[in-house]
Protein backbone atom coordinates (compact mmCIF):
# COMPACT_ATOMS: atom_id res chain seq x y z
CA UNK A 1 0.00 0.00 0.00
CA UNK A 2 1.42 3.39 -1.00
CA UNK A 3 1.80 6.03 1.67
CA UNK A 4 0.24 9.42 0.92
CA UNK A 5 2.54 12.27 -0.09
CA UNK A 6 2.36 14.83 2.76
CA UNK A 7 3.05 17.71 0.36
CA UNK A 8 0.21 16.72 -1.93
CA UNK A 9 -2.12 16.21 1.03
CA UNK A 10 -1.30 19.66 2.42
CA UNK A 11 -1.82 21.19 -1.04
CA UNK A 12 -5.23 19.51 -1.29
CA UNK A 13 -6.25 20.93 2.10
CA UNK A 14 -5.28 24.42 0.89
CA UNK A 15 -7.29 23.93 -2.32
CA UNK A 16 -10.35 22.72 -0.43
CA UNK A 17 -10.05 25.58 2.04
CA UNK A 18 -9.75 28.22 -0.66
CA UNK A 19 -12.76 26.82 -2.50
CA UNK A 20 -14.82 26.59 0.70
CA UNK A 21 -14.07 30.22 1.49
CA UNK A 22 -14.70 31.44 -2.04
CA UNK A 23 -18.02 29.64 -2.38
CA UNK A 24 -19.15 30.67 1.13
CA UNK A 25 -18.43 34.29 0.34
CA UNK A 26 -20.12 34.06 -3.08
CA UNK A 27 -23.26 32.98 -1.26
CA UNK A 28 -22.92 35.79 1.29
CA UNK A 29 -22.54 33.40 4.22
CA UNK A 30 -20.48 34.18 7.29
CA UNK A 31 -18.16 31.61 8.81
CA UNK A 32 -20.70 31.26 11.62
CA UNK A 33 -23.47 30.56 9.10
CA UNK A 34 -21.44 27.79 7.49
CA UNK A 35 -20.38 26.47 10.88
CA UNK A 36 -24.04 26.14 11.90
CA UNK A 37 -24.79 24.22 8.70
CA UNK A 38 -21.81 21.92 9.29
CA UNK A 39 -22.38 21.46 13.00
CA UNK A 40 -18.94 22.80 13.93
CA UNK A 41 -17.59 25.99 15.50
CA UNK A 42 -16.76 29.02 13.37
CA UNK A 43 -13.14 28.57 14.51
CA UNK A 44 -13.20 25.12 12.88
CA UNK A 45 -14.46 26.70 9.64
CA UNK A 46 -11.54 29.15 9.84
CA UNK A 47 -9.12 26.23 10.17
CA UNK A 48 -10.73 24.43 7.21
CA UNK A 49 -10.50 27.58 5.08
CA UNK A 50 -6.84 28.12 5.92
CA UNK A 51 -6.08 24.47 5.20
CA UNK A 52 -4.88 24.02 8.78
CA UNK A 53 -7.29 21.14 9.46
CA UNK A 54 -8.35 18.30 7.23
CA UNK A 55 -11.99 18.11 6.25
CA UNK A 56 -13.53 14.71 6.94
CA UNK A 57 -15.40 13.09 4.05
CA UNK A 58 -18.74 13.42 5.85
CA UNK A 59 -18.06 17.11 6.53
CA UNK A 60 -17.03 17.61 2.91
CA UNK A 61 -20.34 16.13 1.77
CA UNK A 62 -22.28 18.35 4.18
CA UNK A 63 -20.29 21.39 3.05
CA UNK A 64 -20.96 20.67 -0.62
CA UNK A 65 -24.69 20.43 0.12
CA UNK A 66 -24.65 23.58 2.29
CA UNK A 67 -22.80 25.51 -0.41
CA UNK A 68 -24.89 24.24 -3.32
CA UNK A 69 -21.93 22.67 -5.08
CA UNK A 70 -20.33 19.28 -5.53
CA UNK A 71 -17.56 17.52 -3.67
CA UNK A 72 -15.71 17.31 -6.99
CA UNK A 73 -15.77 21.10 -7.27
CA UNK A 74 -14.59 21.57 -3.68
CA UNK A 75 -11.59 19.30 -4.23
CA UNK A 76 -10.76 20.82 -7.62
CA UNK A 77 -11.65 17.74 -9.64
CA UNK A 78 -14.38 19.21 -11.84
CA UNK A 79 -12.87 19.97 -15.20
CA UNK A 80 -13.08 23.64 -16.07
CA UNK A 81 -10.58 23.79 -18.90
CA UNK A 82 -8.16 25.92 -16.87
CA UNK A 83 -5.06 24.59 -15.21
CA UNK A 84 -4.56 27.67 -13.04
CA UNK A 85 -7.94 27.51 -11.27
CA UNK A 86 -6.28 26.67 -7.95
CA UNK A 87 -4.21 29.86 -8.10
CA UNK A 88 -7.34 31.86 -8.91
CA UNK A 89 -9.27 30.38 -6.01
CA UNK A 90 -6.40 30.93 -3.59
CA UNK A 91 -6.23 34.57 -4.74
CA UNK A 92 -9.98 35.00 -4.36
CA UNK A 93 -9.83 33.48 -0.89
CA UNK A 94 -7.68 36.36 0.37
CA UNK A 95 -9.59 38.77 2.60
CA UNK A 96 -11.14 41.52 0.49
CA UNK A 97 -10.37 39.95 -2.89
CA UNK A 98 -13.90 38.88 -3.71
CA UNK A 99 -15.29 42.23 -2.56
CA UNK A 100 -12.80 44.09 -4.78
CA UNK A 101 -13.82 41.95 -7.75
CA UNK A 102 -17.53 42.50 -7.06
CA UNK A 103 -17.02 46.26 -6.73
CA UNK A 104 -14.91 46.32 -9.91
CA UNK A 105 -17.63 44.47 -11.82
CA UNK A 106 -20.24 46.92 -10.51
CA UNK A 107 -18.44 49.93 -12.06
CA UNK A 108 -20.46 50.72 -15.19
CA UNK A 109 -17.90 52.90 -17.00
CA UNK A 110 -15.15 50.91 -18.79
CA UNK A 111 -12.71 53.84 -18.56
CA UNK A 112 -13.18 54.01 -14.80
CA UNK A 113 -12.51 50.26 -14.55
CA UNK A 114 -9.31 50.70 -16.59
CA UNK A 115 -8.22 53.59 -14.35
CA UNK A 116 -8.80 51.48 -11.24
CA UNK A 117 -6.85 48.61 -12.78
CA UNK A 118 -3.96 50.97 -13.61
CA UNK A 119 -3.99 52.28 -10.03
CA UNK A 120 -3.96 48.75 -8.58
CA UNK A 121 -1.06 47.72 -10.82
CA UNK A 122 0.88 50.83 -9.82
CA UNK A 123 0.27 50.11 -6.13
CA UNK A 124 1.39 46.49 -6.58
CA UNK A 125 4.72 47.59 -8.05
CA UNK A 126 5.59 50.31 -5.59
Amino acid sequence: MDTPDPGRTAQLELIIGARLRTRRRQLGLSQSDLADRLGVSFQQVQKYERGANRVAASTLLTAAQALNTSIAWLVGEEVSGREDDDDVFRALARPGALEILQAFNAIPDPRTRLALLALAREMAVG
Side-chain angles (χ1 to χ4, degrees):
M1 183 172 166
D2 292 335
T3 58
D5 176 7
R8 180 161 160 64
T9 302
Q11 182 69 20
L12 181 58
E13 297 307 324
L14 290 172
I15 290 167
I16 291 170
R19 286 174 173 258
L20 279 171
R21 180 182 174 106
T22 300
R23 183 65 180 150
R24 173 184 62 77
R25 293 176 74 199
Q26 281 178 332
L27 296 174
L29 298 174
S30 69
Q31 288 178 330
S32 294
D33 294 333
L34 182 56
D36 289 342
R37 293 179 184 194
L38 299 180
V40 299
S41 68
F42 82 91
Q43 291 96 336
Q44 185 63 43
V45 170
Q46 288 176 328
K47 290 177 183 179
Y48 291 151
E49 290 183 356
R50 285 194 326 261
N53 283 13
R54 289 186 179 166
V55 182
S58 59
T59 304
L60 195 60
L61 174 61
T62 304
Q65 292 168 341
L67 297 172
N68 257 349
T69 192
S70 68
I71 292 173
W73 186 84
L74 287 175
V75 299
E77 291 295 321
E78 278 188 6
V79 177
S80 68
R82 293 188 52 177
E83 292 182 15
D84 61 347
D85 273 357
D86 294 337
D87 292 337
V88 170
F89 283 107
R90 272 195 294 280
L92 285 173
R94 289 187 182 131
L98 188 58
E99 291 83 358
I100 292 266
L101 182 58
Q102 289 168 334
F104 181 85
N105 286 332
I107 298 170
D109 180 33
R111 290 186 348 212
T112 303
R113 284 193 307 270
L114 285 174
L116 180 59
L117 180 57
L119 175 63
R121 285 182 173 152
E122 185 63 32
M123 291 175 74
V125 172

